[in-house]
Short mmCIF file of all heavy atoms in Angstrom, two decimals:
data_model
loop_
_atom_site.label_atom_id
_atom_site.label_comp_id
_atom_site.label_asym_id
_atom_site.label_seq_id
_atom_site.Cartn_x
_atom_site.Cartn_y
_atom_site.Cartn_z
N ARG R 196 -102.07 -45.95 82.44
CA ARG R 196 -102.22 -47.05 81.36
C ARG R 196 -101.90 -46.36 80.08
O ARG R 196 -102.79 -45.59 79.63
CB ARG R 196 -103.63 -47.49 81.42
CG ARG R 196 -104.01 -48.12 82.74
CD ARG R 196 -105.52 -48.74 82.72
NE ARG R 196 -105.69 -49.56 81.61
CZ ARG R 196 -105.39 -50.85 81.37
NH1 ARG R 196 -104.77 -51.47 82.31
NH2 ARG R 196 -105.69 -51.48 80.27
N ILE R 197 -100.68 -46.61 79.57
CA ILE R 197 -100.24 -45.90 78.38
C ILE R 197 -100.16 -46.95 77.32
O ILE R 197 -99.63 -48.05 77.39
CB ILE R 197 -98.83 -45.32 78.62
CG1 ILE R 197 -98.91 -44.25 79.78
CG2 ILE R 197 -98.29 -44.82 77.32
CD1 ILE R 197 -97.56 -43.82 80.18
N PHE R 198 -100.68 -46.57 76.11
CA PHE R 198 -100.54 -47.33 74.86
C PHE R 198 -99.56 -46.58 74.03
O PHE R 198 -99.84 -45.48 73.61
CB PHE R 198 -101.83 -47.54 74.20
CG PHE R 198 -101.82 -48.65 73.16
CD1 PHE R 198 -102.30 -49.98 73.51
CD2 PHE R 198 -101.17 -48.54 71.93
CE1 PHE R 198 -102.22 -50.98 72.55
CE2 PHE R 198 -101.09 -49.61 71.06
CZ PHE R 198 -101.67 -50.86 71.36
N LEU R 199 -98.47 -47.19 73.55
CA LEU R 199 -97.47 -46.58 72.84
C LEU R 199 -97.52 -47.02 71.36
O LEU R 199 -97.53 -48.24 71.01
CB LEU R 199 -96.05 -46.90 73.31
CG LEU R 199 -94.87 -46.30 72.68
CD1 LEU R 199 -94.92 -44.81 72.69
CD2 LEU R 199 -93.58 -46.90 73.31
N VAL R 200 -97.65 -46.05 70.39
CA VAL R 200 -97.74 -46.37 68.88
C VAL R 200 -96.50 -45.79 68.31
O VAL R 200 -96.17 -44.69 68.48
CB VAL R 200 -98.98 -45.74 68.28
CG1 VAL R 200 -99.03 -46.05 66.92
CG2 VAL R 200 -100.20 -46.30 68.90
N ARG R 201 -95.79 -46.74 67.61
CA ARG R 201 -94.49 -46.30 66.89
C ARG R 201 -94.77 -46.49 65.33
O ARG R 201 -95.04 -47.56 64.84
CB ARG R 201 -93.52 -47.33 67.33
CG ARG R 201 -92.26 -47.07 66.58
CD ARG R 201 -91.09 -48.14 66.98
NE ARG R 201 -89.96 -48.03 66.12
CZ ARG R 201 -88.99 -49.00 66.18
NH1 ARG R 201 -89.01 -49.89 67.15
NH2 ARG R 201 -87.98 -48.85 65.33
N ASP R 202 -94.51 -45.39 64.66
CA ASP R 202 -94.60 -45.45 63.24
C ASP R 202 -93.35 -45.97 62.60
O ASP R 202 -92.35 -45.45 62.79
CB ASP R 202 -94.79 -43.91 62.73
CG ASP R 202 -95.12 -43.83 61.25
OD1 ASP R 202 -94.97 -44.82 60.45
OD2 ASP R 202 -95.21 -42.63 60.84
N VAL R 203 -93.45 -47.02 61.95
CA VAL R 203 -92.43 -47.61 61.22
C VAL R 203 -92.37 -47.57 59.70
O VAL R 203 -91.78 -48.32 58.95
CB VAL R 203 -92.21 -49.20 61.64
CG1 VAL R 203 -91.84 -49.30 63.06
CG2 VAL R 203 -93.36 -50.01 61.31
N SER R 204 -93.21 -46.64 59.16
CA SER R 204 -93.27 -46.42 57.83
C SER R 204 -91.95 -45.98 57.21
O SER R 204 -91.09 -45.53 58.07
CB SER R 204 -94.35 -45.26 57.54
OG SER R 204 -95.52 -45.57 58.07
N GLN R 205 -91.77 -46.05 55.94
CA GLN R 205 -90.60 -45.66 55.32
C GLN R 205 -90.17 -44.28 55.73
O GLN R 205 -91.02 -43.36 55.54
CB GLN R 205 -90.65 -45.76 53.81
CG GLN R 205 -89.31 -45.49 53.07
CD GLN R 205 -89.45 -45.74 51.59
OE1 GLN R 205 -90.50 -46.05 51.06
NE2 GLN R 205 -88.34 -45.62 50.86
N GLY R 206 -88.91 -44.14 56.19
CA GLY R 206 -88.47 -42.76 56.61
C GLY R 206 -88.80 -42.42 58.02
O GLY R 206 -88.17 -41.52 58.64
N ALA R 207 -89.81 -43.16 58.64
CA ALA R 207 -90.15 -42.73 60.04
C ALA R 207 -89.46 -43.70 61.02
O ALA R 207 -89.29 -43.33 62.21
CB ALA R 207 -91.61 -42.87 60.22
N ALA R 208 -89.06 -44.89 60.58
CA ALA R 208 -88.61 -45.89 61.52
C ALA R 208 -87.20 -45.43 62.21
O ALA R 208 -87.05 -45.66 63.42
CB ALA R 208 -88.29 -47.20 60.88
N GLU R 209 -86.41 -44.65 61.48
CA GLU R 209 -85.25 -44.19 61.99
C GLU R 209 -85.37 -43.17 63.05
O GLU R 209 -84.68 -43.05 64.08
CB GLU R 209 -84.31 -43.57 60.92
CG GLU R 209 -83.81 -44.63 59.84
CD GLU R 209 -84.87 -44.96 58.81
OE1 GLU R 209 -85.90 -44.21 58.72
OE2 GLU R 209 -84.62 -45.95 58.00
N TYR R 210 -86.45 -42.38 62.89
CA TYR R 210 -86.77 -41.31 63.90
C TYR R 210 -87.48 -41.99 65.07
O TYR R 210 -87.10 -41.70 66.25
CB TYR R 210 -87.74 -40.24 63.27
CG TYR R 210 -88.56 -39.53 64.19
CD1 TYR R 210 -87.93 -38.31 64.94
CD2 TYR R 210 -89.90 -39.72 64.29
CE1 TYR R 210 -88.66 -37.70 65.71
CE2 TYR R 210 -90.67 -38.86 65.19
CZ TYR R 210 -90.02 -37.84 65.95
OH TYR R 210 -90.78 -37.09 66.75
N SER R 211 -88.49 -42.90 64.86
CA SER R 211 -89.29 -43.31 65.92
C SER R 211 -88.61 -44.46 66.73
O SER R 211 -88.96 -44.61 67.82
CB SER R 211 -90.65 -43.82 65.31
OG SER R 211 -90.38 -45.02 64.57
N GLY R 212 -87.73 -45.14 66.19
CA GLY R 212 -87.11 -46.41 66.80
C GLY R 212 -86.46 -46.03 68.10
O GLY R 212 -86.90 -46.57 69.12
N PRO R 213 -85.32 -45.23 68.06
CA PRO R 213 -84.67 -45.02 69.37
C PRO R 213 -85.63 -44.29 70.40
O PRO R 213 -85.51 -44.51 71.58
CB PRO R 213 -83.50 -44.05 68.95
CG PRO R 213 -83.29 -44.31 67.55
CD PRO R 213 -84.69 -44.74 66.94
N LEU R 214 -86.43 -43.29 69.96
CA LEU R 214 -87.39 -42.57 70.72
C LEU R 214 -88.38 -43.64 71.43
O LEU R 214 -88.51 -43.54 72.64
CB LEU R 214 -88.06 -41.57 69.95
CG LEU R 214 -89.03 -40.62 70.62
CD1 LEU R 214 -88.47 -39.99 71.90
CD2 LEU R 214 -89.49 -39.58 69.65
N SER R 215 -88.95 -44.42 70.66
CA SER R 215 -89.93 -45.47 71.24
C SER R 215 -89.21 -46.41 72.19
O SER R 215 -89.82 -46.63 73.22
CB SER R 215 -90.55 -46.19 70.02
OG SER R 215 -91.54 -47.07 70.48
N ASP R 216 -88.13 -46.88 71.84
CA ASP R 216 -87.38 -47.76 72.76
C ASP R 216 -87.07 -47.13 73.98
O ASP R 216 -87.20 -47.84 75.05
CB ASP R 216 -86.05 -48.24 71.98
CG ASP R 216 -86.38 -49.23 70.85
OD1 ASP R 216 -87.50 -49.79 70.72
OD2 ASP R 216 -85.38 -49.34 70.01
N ARG R 217 -86.62 -45.95 74.04
CA ARG R 217 -86.27 -45.20 75.30
C ARG R 217 -87.64 -44.98 76.09
O ARG R 217 -87.57 -45.22 77.25
CB ARG R 217 -85.58 -43.90 74.94
CG ARG R 217 -85.26 -43.14 76.23
CD ARG R 217 -83.97 -43.67 76.82
NE ARG R 217 -83.61 -43.11 78.12
CZ ARG R 217 -82.95 -42.03 78.33
NH1 ARG R 217 -82.36 -41.37 77.37
NH2 ARG R 217 -82.75 -41.58 79.60
N LEU R 218 -88.66 -44.62 75.36
CA LEU R 218 -90.01 -44.53 76.12
C LEU R 218 -90.41 -45.73 76.88
O LEU R 218 -90.91 -45.72 77.93
CB LEU R 218 -91.04 -43.94 75.18
CG LEU R 218 -91.03 -42.52 74.78
CD1 LEU R 218 -91.96 -42.05 73.70
CD2 LEU R 218 -91.39 -41.70 76.12
N LEU R 219 -90.21 -46.89 76.14
CA LEU R 219 -90.62 -48.13 76.75
C LEU R 219 -89.76 -48.41 77.97
O LEU R 219 -90.36 -48.84 78.95
CB LEU R 219 -90.35 -49.25 75.72
CG LEU R 219 -91.47 -49.47 74.74
CD1 LEU R 219 -91.04 -50.53 73.63
CD2 LEU R 219 -92.73 -50.02 75.41
N LEU R 220 -88.47 -48.07 78.04
CA LEU R 220 -87.63 -48.14 79.13
C LEU R 220 -88.18 -47.26 80.29
O LEU R 220 -88.23 -47.68 81.42
CB LEU R 220 -86.23 -47.83 78.86
CG LEU R 220 -85.39 -48.98 78.07
CD1 LEU R 220 -84.12 -48.48 77.68
CD2 LEU R 220 -85.43 -50.26 78.79
#
Side-chain angles (χ1 to χ4, degrees):
R196 297 181 51 80
I197 299 170
F198 198 101
L199 182 60
V200 179
R201 174 182 170 188
D202 185 354
V203 294
S204 304
Q205 185 176 4
E209 295 79 9
Y210 161 75
S211 68
L214 181 53
S215 179
D216 291 344
R217 182 77 189 272
L218 280 169
L219 278 171
L220 287 173

